[in-house]
Each structure stands twice: as structure tokens, then as C-alpha cells.
Amino acid sequence: QVRLVESGGRLVQAGGSLRLTCVASGSGDTIRYSAMGWHRQAPGKERELVAAITSGGTANYADSVKGRFSASRDDAKNTLYLQMNSLKQEDTAVYYCSADYHVYRDSGDVVGRAWGQGTQVTVSS
């Protein structure tokens, strides 16, 4: 029903910047997205929340990325962004976006959380 596609991940040197993009799409039903987020998972580690952004645009960040990462959303385009600056080697991970959605249907509404397939970010020294 709802599909998220991330892009923008690549190899970058430490101190550099990247911008990740996540585009949400669905069927012809009316879909509203509430909370959206960016998560990451490094090899051998659990997935962690990097940034969460409300429907009103308020963002909260993990301590490890505060002051360096900035999340934003464009609801007209159903798109979520993550601007990452001053990248460190420890930021290397697969980055995933998530979106809490509400699908409005005559046959009955559907709510849930969708996940993207992930995009690899690798920060070299």
C-alpha cells in the first residue's frame, strides 16, 4: 500500500556532507503521513533512531548527530530529507526512513508504519 524509497547514500570523506531523500508513494487512496523518521544500522549493531520529525515539522535527534544532521519534510511531495554535515566514520551505516501512515478508504481505513529498503552511507577517513 505504502512504499518508501531512499536515495542519496554513497561513499564520502570524513568531514563531508550528504543529503538523503525518502519519497513516499501509495495507491490511489488518500494517504496522510504523521511521524516520519530516519534510522540507521551499522554492521553488528542494532538499528537506531537518528531523527524523528512530526507532522508539524518538529524534529528530534539522537545525541550522536545533534548539531550535524537536520531532518525536514515536504508534505506536498511526500518527501523526507536528511541533511548530514560534518560526517564521521562512525556515521557509516545503512540508513532507513520510516513513515507512520493513515490510508483513508471507503472499505475501512488502514494505519501502519512503512519502511524503506535502506541506502548505504560510508564515511572514509
Side-chain angles (χ1 to χ4, degrees):
Q1 296 175 352
V2 175
R3 182 175 181 231
L4 303 182
V5 178
E6 304 101 332
S7 62
R10 61 176 176 85
L11 175 65
V12 63
Q13 283 193 324
S17 297
L18 278 180
R19 188 194 198 200
L20 304 184
T21 300
C22 171
V23 179
S25 62
S27 64
D29 302 303
T30 298
I31 303 174
R32 294 289 182 261
Y33 302 98
S34 53
M36 303 181 81
W38 286 99
H39 313 253
R40 67 186 180 187
Q41 187 166 20
K45 295 187 177 181
E46 293 188 352
R47 188 174 298 190
E48 63 173 349
L49 178 66
V50 174
I53 185 166
T54 67
S55 57
T58 300
N60 290 287
Y61 303 92
D63 288 342
S64 59
V65 306
K66 279 181 182 177
R68 300 188 298 121
F69 290 12
S70 177
S72 61
R73 58 192 288 172
D74 184 340
D75 289 335
K77 298 180 179 179
N78 292 329
T79 301
L80 176 69
Y81 304 98
L82 184 67
Q83 178 65 42
M84 305 187 294
N85 299 325
S86 302
L87 282 162
K88 305 175 181 180
Q89 282 187 278
E90 50 263 43
D91 294 320
T92 295
V94 178
Y95 284 71
Y96 302 88
C97 64
S98 68
D100 293 341
Y101 62 84
H102 188 142
V103 180
Y104 296 86
R105 291 178 170 174
D106 291 340
S107 58
D109 295 354
V110 177
V111 297
R113 171 171 290 186
W115 290 87
Q117 82 290 347
T119 185
Q120 176 70 49
V121 172
T122 303
V123 184
S124 65
S125 59

Short mmCIF file of all heavy atoms in Angstrom, two decimals, residues 27-83:
data_model
loop_
_atom_site.label_atom_id
_atom_site.label_comp_id
_atom_site.label_asym_id
_atom_site.label_seq_id
_atom_site.Cartn_x
_atom_site.Cartn_y
_atom_site.Cartn_z
N SER A 27 -1.16 3.84 -3.15
CA SER A 27 -2.20 3.60 -4.13
C SER A 27 -2.99 4.88 -4.36
O SER A 27 -2.63 5.94 -3.87
CB SER A 27 -3.12 2.49 -3.64
OG SER A 27 -3.78 2.92 -2.47
N GLY A 28 -4.09 4.78 -5.05
CA GLY A 28 -4.88 5.97 -5.34
C GLY A 28 -5.67 6.48 -4.16
O GLY A 28 -6.31 7.52 -4.25
N ASP A 29 -5.62 5.75 -3.02
CA ASP A 29 -6.34 6.20 -1.83
C ASP A 29 -5.69 7.46 -1.26
O ASP A 29 -4.54 7.77 -1.55
CB ASP A 29 -6.30 5.10 -0.76
CG ASP A 29 -6.92 3.80 -1.25
OD1 ASP A 29 -8.07 3.83 -1.65
OD2 ASP A 29 -6.21 2.79 -1.22
N THR A 30 -6.45 8.15 -0.43
CA THR A 30 -5.91 9.30 0.28
C THR A 30 -5.03 8.80 1.42
O THR A 30 -5.48 8.00 2.24
CB THR A 30 -7.04 10.18 0.83
OG1 THR A 30 -7.82 10.67 -0.26
CG2 THR A 30 -6.47 11.34 1.61
N ILE A 31 -3.81 9.26 1.46
CA ILE A 31 -2.85 8.83 2.48
C ILE A 31 -2.31 10.06 3.18
O ILE A 31 -1.92 11.03 2.53
CB ILE A 31 -1.69 8.04 1.85
CG1 ILE A 31 -2.21 6.84 1.06
CG2 ILE A 31 -0.72 7.57 2.94
CD1 ILE A 31 -1.14 6.10 0.29
N ARG A 32 -2.28 9.97 4.48
CA ARG A 32 -1.67 11.03 5.29
C ARG A 32 -0.55 10.41 6.10
O ARG A 32 -0.68 9.31 6.64
CB ARG A 32 -2.70 11.66 6.22
CG ARG A 32 -3.79 12.43 5.50
CD ARG A 32 -3.30 13.72 4.89
NE ARG A 32 -4.40 14.46 4.24
CZ ARG A 32 -4.63 14.43 2.94
NH1 ARG A 32 -3.85 13.70 2.14
NH2 ARG A 32 -5.62 15.13 2.44
N TYR A 33 0.54 11.17 6.19
CA TYR A 33 1.70 10.70 6.94
C TYR A 33 1.84 11.54 8.20
O TYR A 33 1.86 12.77 8.12
CB TYR A 33 2.96 10.79 6.09
CG TYR A 33 2.86 9.99 4.81
CD1 TYR A 33 2.52 10.60 3.62
CD2 TYR A 33 3.08 8.61 4.81
CE1 TYR A 33 2.40 9.87 2.45
CE2 TYR A 33 2.96 7.87 3.65
CZ TYR A 33 2.62 8.52 2.47
OH TYR A 33 2.49 7.79 1.33
N SER A 34 1.97 10.90 9.32
CA SER A 34 2.19 11.64 10.56
C SER A 34 3.70 11.64 10.84
O SER A 34 4.46 12.26 10.12
CB SER A 34 1.36 11.05 11.70
OG SER A 34 1.60 9.65 11.82
N ALA A 35 4.11 10.95 11.87
CA ALA A 35 5.53 10.95 12.21
C ALA A 35 6.35 10.24 11.13
O ALA A 35 5.93 9.21 10.60
CB ALA A 35 5.77 10.28 13.55
N MET A 36 7.49 10.83 10.81
CA MET A 36 8.42 10.21 9.88
C MET A 36 9.80 10.21 10.55
O MET A 36 10.06 11.02 11.45
CB MET A 36 8.46 10.98 8.56
CG MET A 36 7.10 11.08 7.88
SD MET A 36 7.15 11.95 6.30
CE MET A 36 7.74 10.63 5.22
N GLY A 37 10.65 9.33 10.10
CA GLY A 37 11.93 9.25 10.77
C GLY A 37 13.04 8.66 9.91
O GLY A 37 12.78 8.06 8.86
N TRP A 38 14.24 8.90 10.39
CA TRP A 38 15.43 8.29 9.80
C TRP A 38 16.08 7.40 10.86
O TRP A 38 16.21 7.81 12.02
CB TRP A 38 16.43 9.35 9.36
CG TRP A 38 16.02 10.08 8.12
CD1 TRP A 38 15.43 11.30 8.04
CD2 TRP A 38 16.16 9.61 6.78
NE1 TRP A 38 15.20 11.62 6.72
CE2 TRP A 38 15.64 10.60 5.93
CE3 TRP A 38 16.69 8.45 6.19
CZ2 TRP A 38 15.62 10.48 4.53
CZ3 TRP A 38 16.67 8.32 4.81
CH2 TRP A 38 16.16 9.33 4.01
N HIS A 39 16.48 6.24 10.45
CA HIS A 39 17.13 5.28 11.31
C HIS A 39 18.38 4.79 10.61
O HIS A 39 18.52 4.94 9.39
CB HIS A 39 16.20 4.09 11.57
CG HIS A 39 14.80 4.47 11.94
ND1 HIS A 39 14.29 4.35 13.20
CD2 HIS A 39 13.80 5.01 11.19
CE1 HIS A 39 13.04 4.77 13.22
NE2 HIS A 39 12.72 5.19 12.01
N ARG A 40 19.28 4.18 11.37
CA ARG A 40 20.46 3.62 10.74
C ARG A 40 20.89 2.34 11.46
O ARG A 40 20.60 2.17 12.63
CB ARG A 40 21.62 4.62 10.73
CG ARG A 40 22.18 4.96 12.09
CD ARG A 40 23.23 6.07 11.96
NE ARG A 40 23.81 6.43 13.26
CZ ARG A 40 24.64 7.45 13.43
NH1 ARG A 40 24.98 8.23 12.41
NH2 ARG A 40 25.14 7.71 14.63
N GLN A 41 21.56 1.52 10.70
CA GLN A 41 22.06 0.26 11.27
C GLN A 41 23.46 0.02 10.74
O GLN A 41 23.66 -0.13 9.53
CB GLN A 41 21.15 -0.91 10.92
CG GLN A 41 21.53 -2.20 11.62
CD GLN A 41 20.45 -3.25 11.54
OE1 GLN A 41 19.56 -3.20 10.70
NE2 GLN A 41 20.50 -4.22 12.44
N ALA A 42 24.41 0.01 11.66
CA ALA A 42 25.80 -0.28 11.32
C ALA A 42 26.03 -1.78 11.45
O ALA A 42 25.31 -2.47 12.18
CB ALA A 42 26.73 0.49 12.23
N PRO A 43 27.05 -2.30 10.78
CA PRO A 43 27.34 -3.73 10.87
C PRO A 43 27.53 -4.19 12.31
O PRO A 43 28.27 -3.56 13.07
CB PRO A 43 28.63 -3.87 10.07
CG PRO A 43 28.61 -2.74 9.11
CD PRO A 43 27.95 -1.60 9.85
N GLY A 44 26.83 -5.24 12.68
CA GLY A 44 26.96 -5.79 14.01
C GLY A 44 26.24 -5.02 15.09
O GLY A 44 26.36 -5.36 16.28
N LYS A 45 25.50 -3.99 14.71
CA LYS A 45 24.79 -3.18 15.70
C LYS A 45 23.29 -3.20 15.43
O LYS A 45 22.85 -3.52 14.33
CB LYS A 45 25.32 -1.75 15.69
CG LYS A 45 26.76 -1.61 16.13
CD LYS A 45 27.16 -0.16 16.25
CE LYS A 45 28.58 -0.01 16.76
NZ LYS A 45 28.97 1.42 16.91
N GLU A 46 22.54 -2.82 16.44
CA GLU A 46 21.10 -2.74 16.28
C GLU A 46 20.71 -1.45 15.54
O GLU A 46 21.46 -0.48 15.55
CB GLU A 46 20.41 -2.78 17.65
CG GLU A 46 20.55 -4.10 18.36
CD GLU A 46 19.71 -4.18 19.62
OE1 GLU A 46 19.13 -3.15 20.02
OE2 GLU A 46 19.64 -5.26 20.22
N ARG A 47 19.54 -1.49 14.93
CA ARG A 47 19.05 -0.30 14.27
C ARG A 47 18.75 0.76 15.32
O ARG A 47 18.17 0.46 16.37
CB ARG A 47 17.79 -0.62 13.46
CG ARG A 47 17.31 0.51 12.58
CD ARG A 47 16.14 0.08 11.71
NE ARG A 47 16.52 -1.00 10.80
CZ ARG A 47 15.73 -1.42 9.81
NH1 ARG A 47 14.55 -0.85 9.61
NH2 ARG A 47 16.11 -2.41 9.03
N GLU A 48 19.13 2.00 15.03
CA GLU A 48 18.89 3.09 15.97
C GLU A 48 18.20 4.25 15.27
O GLU A 48 18.38 4.49 14.08
CB GLU A 48 20.21 3.58 16.58
CG GLU A 48 21.19 4.17 15.59
CD GLU A 48 22.40 4.80 16.25
OE1 GLU A 48 22.41 4.98 17.48
OE2 GLU A 48 23.36 5.12 15.52
N LEU A 49 17.41 4.97 16.05
CA LEU A 49 16.73 6.15 15.55
C LEU A 49 17.73 7.30 15.46
O LEU A 49 18.41 7.61 16.43
CB LEU A 49 15.57 6.53 16.46
CG LEU A 49 14.79 7.79 16.09
CD1 LEU A 49 14.07 7.61 14.77
CD2 LEU A 49 13.81 8.13 17.20
N VAL A 50 17.78 7.93 14.32
CA VAL A 50 18.68 9.08 14.11
C VAL A 50 17.91 10.38 14.27
O VAL A 50 18.36 11.30 14.95
CB VAL A 50 19.32 9.00 12.71
CG1 VAL A 50 20.13 10.26 12.42
CG2 VAL A 50 20.18 7.76 12.57
N ALA A 51 16.76 10.46 13.63
CA ALA A 51 15.96 11.68 13.67
C ALA A 51 14.50 11.32 13.49
O ALA A 51 14.17 10.45 12.68
CB ALA A 51 16.40 12.66 12.59
N ALA A 52 13.64 12.00 14.23
CA ALA A 52 12.21 11.84 14.10
C ALA A 52 11.60 13.20 13.86
O ALA A 52 11.99 14.18 14.50
CB ALA A 52 11.62 11.18 15.34
N ILE A 53 10.64 13.27 12.96
CA ILE A 53 10.01 14.55 12.65
C ILE A 53 8.51 14.38 12.65
O ILE A 53 7.96 13.46 12.04
CB ILE A 53 10.55 15.10 11.31
CG1 ILE A 53 10.00 16.50 11.03
CG2 ILE A 53 10.28 14.15 10.16
CD1 ILE A 53 10.75 17.22 9.92
N THR A 54 7.84 15.29 13.35
CA THR A 54 6.38 15.21 13.47
C THR A 54 5.71 15.77 12.23
O THR A 54 6.35 16.38 11.36
CB THR A 54 5.91 15.99 14.69
OG1 THR A 54 6.15 17.39 14.45
CG2 THR A 54 6.65 15.56 15.95
N SER A 55 4.39 15.62 12.17
CA SER A 55 3.64 16.17 11.05
C SER A 55 3.72 17.68 11.02
O SER A 55 3.60 18.30 9.96
CB SER A 55 2.19 15.71 11.11
OG SER A 55 1.61 16.10 12.35
N GLY A 56 3.98 18.28 12.17
CA GLY A 56 4.13 19.73 12.23
C GLY A 56 5.52 20.22 11.90
O GLY A 56 5.76 21.43 11.87
N GLY A 57 6.43 19.27 11.68
CA GLY A 57 7.79 19.65 11.27
C GLY A 57 8.79 19.74 12.41
O GLY A 57 9.95 20.10 12.18
N THR A 58 8.38 19.39 13.62
CA THR A 58 9.32 19.41 14.74
C THR A 58 10.19 18.18 14.70
O THR A 58 9.68 17.05 14.62
CB THR A 58 8.57 19.46 16.08
OG1 THR A 58 7.77 20.65 16.12
CG2 THR A 58 9.55 19.47 17.24
N ALA A 59 11.49 18.38 14.77
CA ALA A 59 12.43 17.27 14.67
C ALA A 59 13.19 17.07 15.97
O ALA A 59 13.52 18.04 16.66
CB ALA A 59 13.41 17.50 13.52
N ASN A 60 13.45 15.84 16.28
CA ASN A 60 14.29 15.47 17.41
C ASN A 60 15.39 14.54 16.91
O ASN A 60 15.17 13.78 15.95
CB ASN A 60 13.47 14.78 18.50
CG ASN A 60 12.54 15.73 19.19
OD1 ASN A 60 12.94 16.57 19.98
ND2 ASN A 60 11.26 15.63 18.88
N TYR A 61 16.53 14.62 17.56
CA TYR A 61 17.71 13.90 17.06
C TYR A 61 18.38 13.07 18.14
O TYR A 61 18.32 13.40 19.33
CB TYR A 61 18.72 14.91 16.51
CG TYR A 61 18.17 15.79 15.42
CD1 TYR A 61 17.60 17.02 15.72
CD2 TYR A 61 18.19 15.37 14.10
CE1 TYR A 61 17.07 17.82 14.73
CE2 TYR A 61 17.67 16.16 13.09
CZ TYR A 61 17.10 17.38 13.42
OH TYR A 61 16.58 18.18 12.43
N ALA A 62 19.05 12.04 17.68
CA ALA A 62 19.91 11.29 18.58
C ALA A 62 21.06 12.20 19.01
O ALA A 62 21.51 13.05 18.23
CB ALA A 62 20.44 10.05 17.88
N ASP A 63 21.54 12.00 20.23
CA ASP A 63 22.63 12.85 20.73
C ASP A 63 23.84 12.80 19.82
O ASP A 63 24.55 13.80 19.65
CB ASP A 63 23.02 12.41 22.14
CG ASP A 63 21.97 12.77 23.17
OD1 ASP A 63 21.11 13.64 22.88
OD2 ASP A 63 21.99 12.18 24.27
N SER A 64 24.09 11.66 19.22
CA SER A 64 25.29 11.48 18.40
C SER A 64 25.29 12.32 17.13
O SER A 64 26.34 12.50 16.51
CB SER A 64 25.45 10.00 18.04
OG SER A 64 24.31 9.53 17.33
N VAL A 65 24.12 12.82 16.71
CA VAL A 65 24.05 13.58 15.46
C VAL A 65 23.57 15.01 15.66
O VAL A 65 23.52 15.78 14.69
CB VAL A 65 23.15 12.87 14.42
CG1 VAL A 65 23.61 11.43 14.21
CG2 VAL A 65 21.69 12.92 14.82
N LYS A 66 23.24 15.37 16.88
CA LYS A 66 22.76 16.72 17.13
C LYS A 66 23.78 17.76 16.70
O LYS A 66 24.98 17.61 16.97
CB LYS A 66 22.45 16.90 18.62
CG LYS A 66 21.11 16.35 19.04
CD LYS A 66 20.85 16.59 20.53
CE LYS A 66 19.53 15.99 20.96
NZ LYS A 66 19.30 16.13 22.42
N GLY A 67 23.29 18.77 16.03
CA GLY A 67 24.18 19.83 15.55
C GLY A 67 24.83 19.53 14.22
O GLY A 67 25.44 20.42 13.61
N ARG A 68 24.73 18.28 13.76
CA ARG A 68 25.34 17.90 12.49
C ARG A 68 24.29 17.48 11.45
O ARG A 68 24.48 17.73 10.26
CB ARG A 68 26.32 16.74 12.69
CG ARG A 68 27.45 17.05 13.64
CD ARG A 68 28.49 15.92 13.65
NE ARG A 68 27.96 14.65 14.10
CZ ARG A 68 27.95 13.54 13.37
NH1 ARG A 68 28.45 13.53 12.14
NH2 ARG A 68 27.45 12.42 13.88
N PHE A 69 23.23 16.85 11.89
CA PHE A 69 22.18 16.36 10.98
C PHE A 69 20.94 17.23 11.13
O PHE A 69 20.64 17.73 12.21
CB PHE A 69 21.82 14.92 11.30
CG PHE A 69 22.87 13.90 10.96
CD1 PHE A 69 24.17 14.26 10.62
CD2 PHE A 69 22.54 12.55 10.99
CE1 PHE A 69 25.12 13.31 10.32
CE2 PHE A 69 23.48 11.57 10.68
CZ PHE A 69 24.77 11.96 10.35
N SER A 70 20.22 17.35 10.02
CA SER A 70 18.97 18.10 10.04
C SER A 70 17.94 17.38 9.19
O SER A 70 18.18 17.12 8.00
CB SER A 70 19.20 19.51 9.51
OG SER A 70 17.98 20.23 9.46
N ALA A 71 16.80 17.06 9.80
CA ALA A 71 15.72 16.39 9.08
C ALA A 71 14.65 17.40 8.70
O ALA A 71 14.37 18.33 9.45
CB ALA A 71 15.11 15.30 9.95
N SER A 72 14.07 17.21 7.53
CA SER A 72 12.97 18.08 7.09
C SER A 72 12.03 17.27 6.21
O SER A 72 12.37 16.17 5.77
CB SER A 72 13.51 19.29 6.33
OG SER A 72 14.22 18.88 5.17
N ARG A 73 10.86 17.81 5.98
CA ARG A 73 9.88 17.11 5.15
C ARG A 73 9.15 18.10 4.27
O ARG A 73 8.93 19.25 4.66
CB ARG A 73 8.91 16.32 6.02
CG ARG A 73 8.14 17.15 7.03
CD ARG A 73 7.41 16.28 8.04
NE ARG A 73 6.26 15.59 7.47
CZ ARG A 73 5.57 14.66 8.12
NH1 ARG A 73 5.92 14.28 9.34
NH2 ARG A 73 4.52 14.10 7.55
N ASP A 74 8.75 17.62 3.11
CA ASP A 74 7.93 18.39 2.18
C ASP A 74 6.68 17.57 1.94
O ASP A 74 6.68 16.63 1.13
CB ASP A 74 8.70 18.64 0.88
CG ASP A 74 7.93 19.52 -0.10
OD1 ASP A 74 6.70 19.63 0.04
OD2 ASP A 74 8.57 20.09 -0.99
N ASP A 75 5.62 17.89 2.64
CA ASP A 75 4.40 17.09 2.57
C ASP A 75 3.72 17.20 1.20
O ASP A 75 3.01 16.28 0.80
CB ASP A 75 3.44 17.49 3.67
CG ASP A 75 3.94 17.05 5.05
OD1 ASP A 75 4.72 16.07 5.11
OD2 ASP A 75 3.57 17.68 6.06
N ALA A 76 3.94 18.28 0.50
CA ALA A 76 3.36 18.41 -0.85
C ALA A 76 3.97 17.38 -1.80
O ALA A 76 3.34 16.97 -2.77
CB ALA A 76 3.58 19.81 -1.38
N LYS A 77 5.20 16.98 -1.50
CA LYS A 77 5.89 16.00 -2.34
C LYS A 77 6.00 14.64 -1.66
O LYS A 77 6.63 13.73 -2.20
CB LYS A 77 7.30 16.50 -2.68
CG LYS A 77 7.33 17.79 -3.48
CD LYS A 77 8.76 18.21 -3.76
CE LYS A 77 8.80 19.49 -4.58
NZ LYS A 77 10.20 19.94 -4.85
N ASN A 78 5.41 14.51 -0.47
CA ASN A 78 5.54 13.26 0.29
C ASN A 78 6.99 12.82 0.40
O ASN A 78 7.33 11.65 0.19
CB ASN A 78 4.69 12.15 -0.34
CG ASN A 78 3.20 12.39 -0.22
OD1 ASN A 78 2.75 13.01 0.74
ND2 ASN A 78 2.45 11.92 -1.19
N THR A 79 7.84 13.76 0.73
CA THR A 79 9.28 13.52 0.75
C THR A 79 9.88 13.94 2.08
O THR A 79 9.53 14.97 2.64
CB THR A 79 9.96 14.27 -0.40
OG1 THR A 79 9.40 13.82 -1.65
CG2 THR A 79 11.45 14.01 -0.41
N LEU A 80 10.81 13.10 2.53
CA LEU A 80 11.55 13.33 3.76
C LEU A 80 13.02 13.48 3.41
O LEU A 80 13.51 12.77 2.53
CB LEU A 80 11.35 12.14 4.71
CG LEU A 80 12.10 12.12 6.03
CD1 LEU A 80 11.57 13.19 6.97
CD2 LEU A 80 11.97 10.74 6.67
N TYR A 81 13.69 14.39 4.09
CA TYR A 81 15.11 14.63 3.82
C TYR A 81 15.93 14.48 5.09
O TYR A 81 15.44 14.69 6.20
CB TYR A 81 15.32 16.05 3.27
CG TYR A 81 14.53 16.38 2.04
CD1 TYR A 81 13.33 17.08 2.14
CD2 TYR A 81 14.98 16.00 0.78
CE1 TYR A 81 12.59 17.39 1.01
CE2 TYR A 81 14.25 16.30 -0.35
CZ TYR A 81 13.06 17.00 -0.24
OH TYR A 81 12.33 17.30 -1.36
N LEU A 82 17.20 14.16 4.90
CA LEU A 82 18.15 14.18 6.00
C LEU A 82 19.43 14.82 5.48
O LEU A 82 20.13 14.23 4.66
CB LEU A 82 18.43 12.78 6.54
CG LEU A 82 19.36 12.74 7.76
CD1 LEU A 82 18.67 13.39 8.97
CD2 LEU A 82 19.77 11.31 8.10
N GLN A 83 19.71 16.02 5.96
CA GLN A 83 20.96 16.69 5.61
C GLN A 83 21.99 16.31 6.66
O GLN A 83 21.77 16.52 7.85
CB GLN A 83 20.76 18.21 5.59
CG GLN A 83 22.01 18.99 5.30
CD GLN A 83 22.53 18.75 3.90
OE1 GLN A 83 21.77 18.70 2.94
NE2 GLN A 83 23.85 18.59 3.78
#
